[in-house]
Amino acid sequence: MEEATDAALRGSACDVTACGEAFHEDGGDNNRKTDNQRKPKVKLSPRSPIMGPSQPKVVTGDHGYVLEDVPHLIDYIPHLPTYPNPLQDNPAYAVVKQYFVDMDDTVAQKIVVHAKSPRGTHFRRAGPRQKVYFKSDDVHACIVTCGGLCPGLNTVIREIVGSLHDMYGVTRIEGIEGGYRGFYSRNTIPLTPKVVNGIHKRGGTIIGTSRGGYDNKKIVNSIQDRGINQVYIIGGDGTQKGASAIYEEVRRRGLQVAVVGIPKTIDNDIPVIDKSFGFDTAVEEAQRAINAAHVEAESNENCIGLVKLMGRNSGFIAMYATLASRDVDCCLIPESPFYLEGPGGVLEYIEKRIKENGHMVIVVAEGAGQDLVAESLRTNDDKDASGNKFLNDVGLWLSQKIKDHFKKQTEMEINLKYIDPTYMIRAVPSNASDNVYCTLLAQSAVHGAMAGYTGFTVGPVHGRECYLPFYRITEKQNKVVITDRMWARMLSSTHQLSFLNTKDIIESIMDEAPPTQLLDDQVADNGLVTKETIVC
């Protein structure tokens, strides 16, 4: 899968001339009878060329304007016919003024700029277009969910089905059972508004999920054989890499199939977008565990409540849950290195807090301190079906380290209560905030597919739904910036030490600080941190 994905992303950035028309709405002469009109939509025409890997579509404009556009069906199937959007006759939407998105609407990636900043990178704004590239009766859509559970999966499924059926009159919608392998080894589940009614009130996913099972050619063969022409893929970064490779294979075969990704990760580690669905619900549910730990800690003498939360590589849930709770005394996340023994270490801080308050609450993300745990336990590097390295239980390890410290180094007897609510949080239905968010994601995905866009994922950028090229959300992970003010707010809330030395701070500034839109020659003038300005 990685090789296929790498091939999908090869190629240099191009301007509008090299990539073809950037803003395409009408798609050519509707009166011209093409092979695509006479033949089934998903079948490969004998005269259609075998396409090579696509290149990023980058359009540049005045004053440093850059549009990172997403692929469109007419990029490789020219002269496709277009049809009026059925929404113009929908009584619920026809009354809304300017409901259709303007073809030139884009959204800036950065909104904090300086007086002389270039306009910077933009993404295509999501929403319905006046013209669509699929007849409602011709659409055969499928939905698949991959990876671990996350609050909101059922809501996204429900809203995709509802949007296709109620907005565009699509009646053939199927759920692929059991993740990627379901394309070639499992049955499909017919999805109708009646079937999905009320599923947003349930946790999990009604079409099942799994890790692994990815076989690009088998998946695309199944899509082609079944006559599917819209594929909605819900999953994390690994799943989206697979979706990108599926798009590339579909394009290579010249199929009129829209491949759409909907990013899913409870850890909120997908870059560019404001947040991932299920994150708000996870933070809210984490409060219950933290509150339970706080009650236990307050009610027992010299008691420590230790809560382990999700966060394999990113500590957003732990940080936001800590900020929301205000009962946490120490928060440990993967992005912030820490050490246990010695002056300024975690154990010294715990001992100090217990002596001052008689109790404390600790929150630790599952990926925190894994280097220390691995060194202590001498574990191997086994991986799961998705290719993720198995993590050691940092909560149990830290619990034992704390008990050993107080038993050997002090005369103080402590109680320690360890709480791991991980799977309870993953399995709950999404809250009101996430339900609304999932609705916007699903509707934006459907609007994009019907308008002929493909090979993209959808998400909010500064509150506006956008279409993003796959490579922008798979090239790296979103992580907590421990030199940012949000982390400083968390430290202020807990009164904990940073547990960082000078070298750690410098590396964090250089490696994790978000890029600026300033020109290179403006950096020094504005006093921003550079390698030359850091003095140890």
Side-chain angles (χ1 to χ4, degrees):
M1 184 179 73
E2 298 296 335
E3 293 179 2
T5 306
D6 290 340
L9 301 183
R10 280 197 295 266
S12 58
C14 54
D15 60 18
V16 64
T17 304
C19 289
E21 184 62 35
F23 300 105
H24 29 241
E25 290 290 331
D26 294 329
D29 185 2
N30 291 342
N31 296 321
R32 179 177 178 179
K33 294 293 184 180
T34 66
D35 288 340
N36 291 300
Q37 286 178 281
R38 291 190 291 268
K39 294 182 179 295
K41 294 295 182 183
V42 183
K43 299 301 182 182
L44 179 64
S45 170
R47 287 177 287 177
S48 297
I50 300 298
M51 309 298 294
S54 63
Q55 294 183 343
K57 294 177 63 176
V58 180
V59 181
T60 58
D62 296 335
H63 310 294
Y65 173 90
V66 177
L67 169 63
E68 294 196 22
D69 206 356
V70 297
H72 195 278
L73 291 172
I74 66 170
D75 292 343
Y76 63 93
I77 310 178
H79 310 302
L80 281 176
T82 60
Y83 312 95
N85 194 320
L87 279 176
Q88 67 184 15
D89 300 319
N90 188 308
Y93 295 94
V95 297
V96 180
K97 293 182 178 180
Q98 296 181 338
Y99 181 73
F100 294 113
V101 174
D102 189 279
M103 59 184 292
D104 292 330
D105 282 358
T106 60
V107 179
Q109 181 180 6
K110 299 291 183 183
I111 59 172
V112 179
V113 297
H114 296 271
K116 297 181 180 180
S117 299
R119 293 182 63 188
T121 301
H122 290 65
F123 303 109
R124 186 172 294 279
R125 184 184 175 191
R129 267 62 179 175
Q130 290 182 332
K131 299 291 184 180
V132 296
Y133 284 77
F134 294 93
K135 281 186 177 180
S136 300
D137 293 340
D138 293 337
V139 174
H140 184 185
C142 74
I143 306 170
V144 63
T145 55
C146 305
L149 294 183
C150 175
L153 281 171
N154 275 335
T155 307
V156 175
I157 294 170
R158 179 184 185 273
E159 295 306 324
I160 291 176
V161 174
S163 300
L164 284 168
H165 186 276
D166 298 338
M167 293 182 181
Y168 290 98
V170 175
T171 56
R172 288 191 297 169
I173 311 168
E174 296 176 350
I176 304 298
E177 192 176 23
Y180 271 140
R181 61 169 51 91
F183 275 102
Y184 55 87
S185 65
R186 300 287 291 275
N187 293 326
T188 60
I189 302 173
L191 299 177
T192 65
K194 185 176 181 179
V195 170
V196 301
N197 184 38
I199 65 171
H200 62 294
K201 300 175 184 177
R202 296 157 47 186
T205 164
I206 65 166
I207 58 178
T209 186
S210 67
R211 297 185 184 277
Y214 182 86
D215 189 309
N216 192 31
K217 289 188 176 180
K218 284 185 178 180
I219 291 171
V220 179
N221 286 342
S222 175
I223 291 171
Q224 188 171 1
D225 293 343
R226 295 171 187 264
I228 294 170
N229 53 18
Q230 289 187 13
V231 184
Y232 298 91
I233 301 172
I234 309 169
D237 57 348
T239 300
Q240 300 303 313
K241 288 177 182 177
S244 177
I246 290 172
Y247 157 71
E248 290 295 336
E249 180 63 17
V250 164
R251 181 182 182 277
R252 190 188 70 83
R253 299 187 188 188
L255 305 179
Q256 188 183 346
V257 177
V259 180
V260 182
I262 299 176
K264 178 233 41 161
T265 166
I266 201 169
D267 293 345
N268 196 42
D269 58 2
I270 292 203
V272 183
I273 64 175
D274 297 343
K275 63 178 178 180
S276 53
F277 74 83
F279 175 71
D280 282 351
T281 304
V283 172
E284 184 176 303
E285 286 298 312
Q287 300 300 291
R288 302 177 188 273
I290 293 174
N291 184 60
H294 185 244
V295 170
E296 288 283 352
E298 273 195 323
S299 302
N300 293 278
E301 184 179 7
N302 295 334
C303 187
I304 299 173
L306 175 59
V307 180
K308 186 184 80 171
L309 297 175
M310 292 80 73
R312 170 177 288 271
N313 298 302
S314 303
F316 287 101
I317 292 178
M319 181 177 72
Y320 276 81
T322 295
L323 268 171
S325 169
R326 297 291 175 172
D327 289 328
V328 179
D329 300 285
C330 182
C331 176
L332 304 174
I333 63 173
E335 295 89 338
S336 182
F338 64 89
Y339 55 98
L340 294 180
E341 290 88 1
V346 173
L347 294 176
E348 182 186 77
Y349 173 70
I350 293 173
E351 186 177 338
K352 177 174 178 289
R353 294 296 287 178
I354 290 292
K355 289 179 179 178
E356 290 175 348
N357 297 338
H359 68 275
M360 77 176 299
V361 175
I362 303 172
V363 169
V364 58
E366 62 180 327
Q370 286 295 315
D371 54 339
L372 300 178
V373 184
E375 181 181 349
S376 175
L377 301 180
R378 295 174 181 167
T379 55
N380 55 32
D381 294 330
D382 291 341
K383 296 181 179 181
D384 62 19
S386 297
N388 298 315
K389 181 180 176 182
F390 282 116
L391 296 180
N392 296 293
D393 193 327
V394 66
L396 288 176
W397 173 81
L398 185 58
S399 298
Q400 192 59 50
K401 286 293 184 180
I402 293 172
K403 291 176 183 178
D404 291 344
H405 172 78
F406 278 91
K407 185 177 181 179
K408 296 176 181 178
Q409 303 295 330
T410 73
E411 298 180 356
M412 187 185 304
E413 184 176 344
I414 64 164
N415 291 311
L416 193 145
K417 313 294 183 181
Y418 175 46
I419 300 175
D420 182 356
T422 299
Y423 291 107
M424 294 178 66
I425 294 176
R426 290 184 182 278
V428 301
S430 52
N431 63 12
S433 173
D434 273 323
N435 273 336
V436 174
Y437 178 28
C438 290
T439 299
L440 297 178
L441 282 177
Q443 290 185 359
S444 297
V446 170
H447 291 320
M450 292 298 297
Y453 294 108
T454 181
F456 71 91
T457 191
V458 64
V461 177
H462 304 303
R464 296 287 186 179
E465 296 295 321
C466 298
Y467 298 141
L468 309 168
F470 278 127
Y471 65 84
R472 284 308 306 267
I473 66 163
T474 60
E475 60 187 356
K476 64 179 181 179
Q477 287 184 313
N478 187 31
K479 294 188 177 184
V480 174
V481 179
I482 61 172
T483 53
D484 185 68
R485 282 192 294 272
M486 187 59 73
W487 182 246
R489 294 182 184 107
M490 199 285 305
L491 294 177
S492 176
S493 169
T494 61
H495 303 293
Q496 74 186 64
L497 304 173
S498 68
F499 307 122
L500 292 173
N501 55 38
T502 304
K503 180 181 177 182
D504 292 328
I505 295 174
I506 294 173
E507 291 177 351
S508 297
I509 292 174
M510 299 311 303
D511 296 338
E512 299 181 17
T516 177
Q517 286 190 357
L518 296 177
L519 297 173
D520 292 340
D521 58 359
Q522 290 179 290
V523 173
D525 294 339
N526 285 276
L528 298 181
V529 176
T530 64
K531 292 182 180 179
E532 290 73 20
T533 60
I534 296 177
V535 179
C536 299

